[in-house]
Amino acid sequence: MEKINMKTLFVDFDGTTFEHATENILPGTKERFDEWNEKGYTIIITTARPSSAKEQTLRALDVNGLQYHAIIFDLPNGDRVVLNDIKEGKERAFAYNVERNGGIGHLEL
């Protein structure tokens, strides 16, 4: 059986998938989410938005047809660092920084 490379993606909301502080989806976001879901990736949305903005945030995701697995609210406005182990000699933690409001349409994972 062929080994599948499953990925878990932690994707920021404001300025990455949606225009910062709005519910306007950025170009290429829907296509990337569709691609990643088709590949079986786990998508976890992260945001510094407070839980009090949960309803409007979830509505924006729903209206734009973005499928995801979880969302984490109330993160601080600071650096985000992923820590992971090296398995079979292969590094398994990666980061992609995108320009604010530049979108994710150009990313190839």
Side-chain angles (χ1 to χ4, degrees):
M1 181 192 310
E2 182 181 332
K3 200 174 192 180
I4 299 174
N5 183 11
M6 300 305 295
K7 289 180 171 54
T8 300
L9 309 177
F10 295 90
V11 184
D12 185 44
F13 188 91
D14 283 303
T16 304
T17 55
F18 286 78
E19 185 179 305
H20 184 72
T22 75
E23 279 73 51
N24 301 322
I25 192 168
L26 288 167
T29 298
K30 172 77 167 111
E31 293 79 7
R32 281 294 169 248
F33 270 62
D34 288 347
E35 173 190 330
W36 296 337
N37 275 294
E38 190 173 303
K39 289 181 176 181
Y41 296 172
T42 299
I43 301 171
I44 301 172
I45 297 172
T46 60
T47 184
R49 286 182 175 209
S51 296
S52 60
K54 182 177 182 176
E55 186 177 317
Q56 76 182 57
T57 304
L58 295 179
R59 185 174 39 251
L61 291 163
D62 185 50
V63 164
N64 288 284
L66 297 185
Q67 296 179 32
Y68 60 96
H69 298 86
I71 185 167
I72 303 170
F73 288 91
D74 301 309
L75 294 175
N77 284 322
D79 296 343
R80 304 215 175 131
V81 179
V82 176
L83 305 175
N84 206 356
D85 63 330
I86 295 173
K87 184 177 179 182
E88 299 169 356
K90 183 178 178 189
E91 292 183 2
R92 300 185 316 143
F94 307 94
Y96 298 88
N97 290 291
V98 298
E99 293 293 326
R100 177 172 276 180
N101 298 330
I104 57 176
H106 64 286
L107 291 180
E108 296 291 332
L109 303 182

